[in-house]
């Protein structure tokens, strides 16, 4: 009833409303909007994020009428980020709905991010009426062609009757193999086209989830043999293991074999960060000295330094397991390359290693060397974390945050030092509980990811909280999604680690001196932002109050207050030392090319 009332109120914007079509009321005809909505619903789609306008307003209402949840965002990129994050969390593609031309183009960054991150996403954009194409139609653009670079599948259904076929195909492409992006182009004429309902295959087959790909048993045997004979074995747990829901098997593998493991940023939590076998605090040493590495659902890209020297031993042997055969041997030649889902491979490996009665002794030289390095690095972090002098450093901030947030919160994080340092101090003991800039290193993802995570929590884990940790620069990309959080009553706790800049900034007096020394555009450092910006005052736009913190005690008080709020977001703005930095690095953070 409410949806019908809202539709009638919006009718002046429409050429017609799907609720008032006599043919629909008589169940004789159905239009493109409803065909699209019903097709998505029948394929199991639950969530749509977007920004509406001509020609997709009726489309969004049709989605809601079909029982799909629609979340209206403030920026198309943020909507695209939210849709891909919900896809990662649920394993089913999220949908991003946008308008034609600029609306779709604003999504391109999000589409590329999902494609590179391997997250399932469907983007649906309206486009100008087909009879307006080529003569300067409103927001006319070559949308299918523009999207193709960033998608696994990009298509415009040739008729309303065939929409279900292409929806099924988009869902299948986005979900199967290495997940990614599918794009469907919906011109206004297609959305408004009406056909006889009995001629539309709304029940177009749903393939269901693809069966797990099982490994070649001979390769499992070879992997077990190589790993059991290693002097310095190491397991790397990637985001693919998290997406593949392999946590139970991987926890058993680590606990049975006692082999040290490293998680990639979004592989955190597949095996708990607080496991005694996690060696994240000795990451550099573990990568450099390992003689055999078991790579599970991770890519040897820049995040793992391409598997190359000087970050790895020149004679290291890699056992690579990946769902995508094209990824095998991508940057270095693996000793054993296995095309398989993670779970069946690990289950088979456990069986073979158990038969060999293999277990790495924690008193081994390898474990002792790692423990010594862990102890040394932990001492540095603890010294920094216990330094409560004002202005605070990153380590003191994150230690306080970790101690005062609900256990097993979903942590969203972005920013340069904010994200990198936070990975080590903000722990994850559950899989798929870390969302950050990922493989593509995209800034601006945080608020969109947080909206998606909060929607997921509301439906699947109502007592779980979302903590969105942002650098001040990163927050500036998508900060107005705070209004989205208020509108949908999402209790996201936004923590802004504010250092007045990108990587680092300057204090008030230094910035004043810099900007008075000449032309501001020439003198202001490119990495500098305004000093001590009061981001928490954005809460006042909605009749609420934010928190400004300079001390550990103020952070503790702010977090306790924010955790108590369950029907709206909170902002905690923490002012830190603008020149605070991470622990000195042994190597450059990015491995240089050998060319």
């Amino acid at each position: 009833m409410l949806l019908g009332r809202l539709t009638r109120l919006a009718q002046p914007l429409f050429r017609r409303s799907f609720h008032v079509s006599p043919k629909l009321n008589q169940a004789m005809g159905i239009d493109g909007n409803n065909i699209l909505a019903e097709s998505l619903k029948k394929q199991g789609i639950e969530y749509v994020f977007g920004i509406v306008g001509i020609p997709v307003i009726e489309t969004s209402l049709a989605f809601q009428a079909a029982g799909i949840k629609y979340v209206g965002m403030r920026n198309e990129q943020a909507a695209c980020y939210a849709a891909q994050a919900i896809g990662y969390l649920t394993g089913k593609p999220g949908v991003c709905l946008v308008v034609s031309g600029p609306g779709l183009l604003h999504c391109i960054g999000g589409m590329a991010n999902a494609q590179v991150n391997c997250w399932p996403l469907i983007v649906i954009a309206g486009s100008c009426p087909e009879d307006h194409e080529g003569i300067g139609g409103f927001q006319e653009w070559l949308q299918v062609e523009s999207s193709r670079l960033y998608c696994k599948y990009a298509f415009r259904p040739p008729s309303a009757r065939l929409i279900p076929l292409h929806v099924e195909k988009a869902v299948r492409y986005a979900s199967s193999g290495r997940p990614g992006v599918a794009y469907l182009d919906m011109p206004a004429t297609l959305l408004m086209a009406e056909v006889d309902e009995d001629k539309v295959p709304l029940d177009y087959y749903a393939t269901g989830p693809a069966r797990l790909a099982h490994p070649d048993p001979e390769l499992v045997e070879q992997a077990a043999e190589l790993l059991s004979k290693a002097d310095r074995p190491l397991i790397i747990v990637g985001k693919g293991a998290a997406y593949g829901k392999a946590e139970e098997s991987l926890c058993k593998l680590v606990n049975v074999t006692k082999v040290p493991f490293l998680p990639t940023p979004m592989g955190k939590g597949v095996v708990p960060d607080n496991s005694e076998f996690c060696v994240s605090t000795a990451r550099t040493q573990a990568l450099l000295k390992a003689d055999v590495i078991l790579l599970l659902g991770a890519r040897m890209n820049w995040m793992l330094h391409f598997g190359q020297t000087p970050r790895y031993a020149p004679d290291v042997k890699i056992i690579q397991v990946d769902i995508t055969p094209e990824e095998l041997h991508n940057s270095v030649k693996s000793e054993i390359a296995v095309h398989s889902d993670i779970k069946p491979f690990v289950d088979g490996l456990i069986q073979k290693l158990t038969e060999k009665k293999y277990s790495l002794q924690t008193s081994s030289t390898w474990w002792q060397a790692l423990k010594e390095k862990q102890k040394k690095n932990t001492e540095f972090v603890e010294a920094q974390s216990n330094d409560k002098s004002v202005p605070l450093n990153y380590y003191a901030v994150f230690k306080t945050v970790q101690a005062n947030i609900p256990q097993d919160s979903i942590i969203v994080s972005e920013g340069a030092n904010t994200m990198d340092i936070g990975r080590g101090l903000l722990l994850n003991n559950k899989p798929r509980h870390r969302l950050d800039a990922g493989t593509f290193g995209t800034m601006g993802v945080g608020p969109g990811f947080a909206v998606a995570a909060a929607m997921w929590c509301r439906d699947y884990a109502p007592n779980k909280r979302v903590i969105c940790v942002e650098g001040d620069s990163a927050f500036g990309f998508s900060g107005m999604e705070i209004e989205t959080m208020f509108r949908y009553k999402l209790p996201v706790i936004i923590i802004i680690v504010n250092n007045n800049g990108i990587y680092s900034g300057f204090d008030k007096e230094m910035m004043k001196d810099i900007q008075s020394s000449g032309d501001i555009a020439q003198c202001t450092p490119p990495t500098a932002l305004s000093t001590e910006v009061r981001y928490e005052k954005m809460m006042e736009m909605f009749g609420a109050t934010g928190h400004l913190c300079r001390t550990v005690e103020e952070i503790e008080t702010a977090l306790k207050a924010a955790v108590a709020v369950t029907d709206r977001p909170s902002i905690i703005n923490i002012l830190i030392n603008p020149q605070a930095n991470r622990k000195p690095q042994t190597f450059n953070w990015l491995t240089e090319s050998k060319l």
Side-chain angles (χ1 to χ4, degrees):
M1 181 180 292
L2 177 59
L3 183 60
R5 181 169 175 241
L6 292 173
T7 303
R8 288 192 295 275
L9 290 173
Q11 280 181 16
L13 294 172
F14 307 155
R15 293 187 181 181
R16 62 173 181 77
S17 166
F18 66 86
H19 279 278
V20 297
S21 168
K23 289 188 177 181
L24 272 178
N25 292 337
Q26 298 169 21
M28 292 174 59
I30 185 169
D31 67 6
N33 285 306
N34 285 278
I35 295 171
L36 177 59
E38 293 295 337
S39 299
L40 289 168
K41 182 68 175 177
K42 288 179 184 295
Q43 294 295 331
I45 299 301
E46 295 182 70
Y47 300 94
V48 176
F49 301 82
I51 297 180
V52 299
I54 296 171
V56 295
I57 300 175
E58 288 180 294
T59 313
S60 63
L61 293 169
F63 288 167
Q64 290 179 316
I68 298 172
K69 295 181 180 181
Y70 176 84
V71 179
M73 306 286 284
R74 297 303 302 266
N75 176 279
E76 286 94 353
Q77 273 197 16
C80 204
Y81 296 143
Q84 63 196 258
I86 207 75
Y88 173 69
L89 291 169
T90 64
K92 292 181 284 189
V95 172
C96 180
L97 177 69
V98 295
V99 301
S100 50
L104 174 65
L105 291 173
H106 290 168
C107 277
I108 292 295
M111 294 165 73
N113 188 71
Q115 188 75 350
V116 174
N117 260 1
C118 309
W119 285 2
L121 167 70
I122 297 174
V123 174
I124 299 174
S127 55
C128 80
E130 290 166 291
D131 55 335
H132 292 182
E133 290 181 340
I135 56 173
F138 175 66
Q139 294 185 333
E140 180 183 355
W141 191 254
L142 295 173
Q143 297 185 182
V144 175
E145 292 85 344
S146 296
S147 302
R148 207 176 299 280
L149 281 174
Y150 314 98
C151 297
K152 295 174 68 178
Y153 180 74
F155 203 79
R156 171 189 288 184
S159 70
R161 191 179 65 82
L162 291 175
I163 288 173
L165 182 153
H166 293 285
V167 166
E168 185 279 330
K169 206 168 182 182
V171 171
R172 179 158 43 91
Y173 269 71
S175 307
S176 301
R178 174 180 283 175
V181 186
Y183 171 69
L184 292 177
D185 194 60
M186 293 288 167
T189 40
L190 185 66
L191 293 171
M192 293 187 297
E194 196 166 287
V195 296
D196 289 342
E197 188 167 0
D198 60 3
K199 294 183 180 180
V200 179
L202 285 173
D203 287 316
Y204 196 85
Y205 68 87
T207 57
R211 295 195 177 190
L212 293 179
H214 286 255
D216 181 337
E218 183 178 337
L219 294 178
V220 178
E221 176 66 46
Q222 291 176 17
E225 184 71 12
L226 181 59
L227 195 67
S228 64
K229 290 183 176 179
D231 293 321
R232 300 179 302 281
L234 177 68
I235 298 171
I236 297 179
V237 180
K239 179 177 61 198
Y243 184 77
K245 296 181 170 59
E247 54 267 18
E248 185 177 338
S249 297
L250 263 165
C251 285
K252 184 177 180 181
L253 174 67
V254 169
N255 290 326
V256 166
T257 64
K258 298 180 174 57
V259 172
F261 78 92
L262 280 175
T264 64
M266 276 187 278
K268 285 166 60 68
V270 175
V271 184
D273 279 348
N274 62 9
S275 166
E276 62 182 303
F277 305 116
C278 181
V279 291
S280 290
T281 51
R283 183 180 189 271
T284 298
Q285 179 87 347
L287 294 177
L288 181 61
K289 299 297 184 180
D291 60 353
V292 173
I293 291 176
L294 175 59
L295 187 68
L296 298 172
R299 290 171 280 181
M300 278 295 184
N301 55 19
W302 68 273
M303 298 184 81
L304 286 173
H305 316 292
F306 313 109
Q308 297 174 6
T309 57
R311 304 301 295 261
Y312 292 77
D315 57 349
V316 64
K317 294 179 172 60
I318 296 173
I319 304 166
Q320 185 181 13
V321 185
D322 203 284
I323 188 60
T324 306
E326 292 86 352
E327 187 61 40
L328 302 176
H329 309 294
N330 192 32
S331 54
V332 291
K333 186 180 186 304
S334 298
E335 188 75 13
I336 302 171
V338 186
H339 174 218
S340 174
D341 277 280
I342 302 302
K343 187 179 185 307
F345 172 85
V346 172
D347 289 342
L349 184 65
I350 292 170
Q351 181 180 343
K352 293 297 181 183
L353 291 172
T354 301
E355 291 172 2
K356 295 176 182 293
K357 298 181 179 179
Y358 171 74
S359 180
L360 183 66
Q361 297 299 311
T362 54
S363 59
S364 66
T365 304
W366 177 225
W367 259 119
Q368 292 307 307
L370 290 174
K371 287 178 179 178
E372 183 179 338
K373 192 65 174 179
Q374 284 181 292
K375 183 175 182 293
K376 181 178 178 181
N377 289 343
T378 300
E379 287 173 352
F380 171 86
V381 170
E382 286 181 351
Q384 293 294 306
S385 300
N386 293 330
D387 180 1
K388 298 182 180 181
S389 58
V390 177
L392 295 169
N393 65 58
Y394 286 101
Y395 297 89
V397 169
F398 290 134
K399 178 182 180 180
T400 308
V401 170
Q402 175 64 37
N404 289 277
I405 58 176
Q407 189 175 14
D408 293 332
S409 297
I410 293 180
I411 298 173
V412 178
S413 184
E414 64 170 330
N417 291 335
T418 297
M419 180 175 64
D420 293 342
I421 298 172
R423 284 170 177 160
L425 283 90
L426 300 177
L427 304 182
N428 292 95
N429 293 318
K430 298 285 186 182
R432 299 170 297 282
H433 278 49
R434 167 72 58 146
L435 303 172
D436 67 22
T439 310
F440 211 32
T442 307
M443 292 294 105
V445 296
F449 283 1
V451 167
M455 290 295 297
W456 180 86
C457 288
R458 175 179 290 174
D459 292 337
Y460 292 98
N463 295 321
K464 194 176 291 292
R465 297 303 294 269
V466 177
I467 315 297
C468 184
V469 185
E470 300 274 304
D472 52 329
S473 171
F475 179 71
F477 283 77
S478 306
M480 273 311 298
E481 296 305 331
I482 186 75
E483 188 275 328
T484 305
M485 297 174 193
F486 266 98
R487 192 169 4 116
Y488 291 95
K489 300 182 183 298
L490 302 176
V492 176
I493 299 174
I494 300 174
I495 299 171
I496 301 172
V497 185
N498 189 347
N499 71 343
N500 307 338
I502 303 169
Y503 301 107
S504 62
F506 300 89
D507 60 32
K508 279 187 174 181
E509 292 305 314
M510 178 65 75
M511 274 299 290
K512 185 177 179 181
D513 290 344
I514 289 171
Q515 293 183 325
S516 64
S517 62
D519 186 293
I520 291 180
Q522 287 184 306
C523 297
T524 303
T527 58
L529 299 175
S530 297
T531 59
E532 298 190 3
V533 175
R534 300 294 298 274
Y535 296 104
E536 81 285 353
K537 286 186 173 289
M538 291 178 72
M539 297 289 291
E540 296 176 12
M541 297 190 295
F542 308 97
T545 303
H547 306 272
L548 177 69
C549 303
R550 298 177 188 270
T551 68
V552 163
E553 293 73 21
E554 288 172 344
I555 297 172
E556 292 172 340
T557 300
L559 281 168
K560 287 175 184 175
V563 168
V565 175
T566 58
D567 63 348
R568 62 164 174 78
S570 303
I571 294 181
I572 301 173
N573 183 18
I574 304 173
L575 304 183
I576 69 166
N577 183 345
Q579 296 297 312
N581 213 321
R582 70 182 81 183
K583 175 181 174 290
Q585 304 294 298
T586 305
F587 298 100
N588 290 332
W589 71 274
L590 184 63
T591 301
E592 298 298 327
S593 170
K594 303 300 183 298
L595 300 178

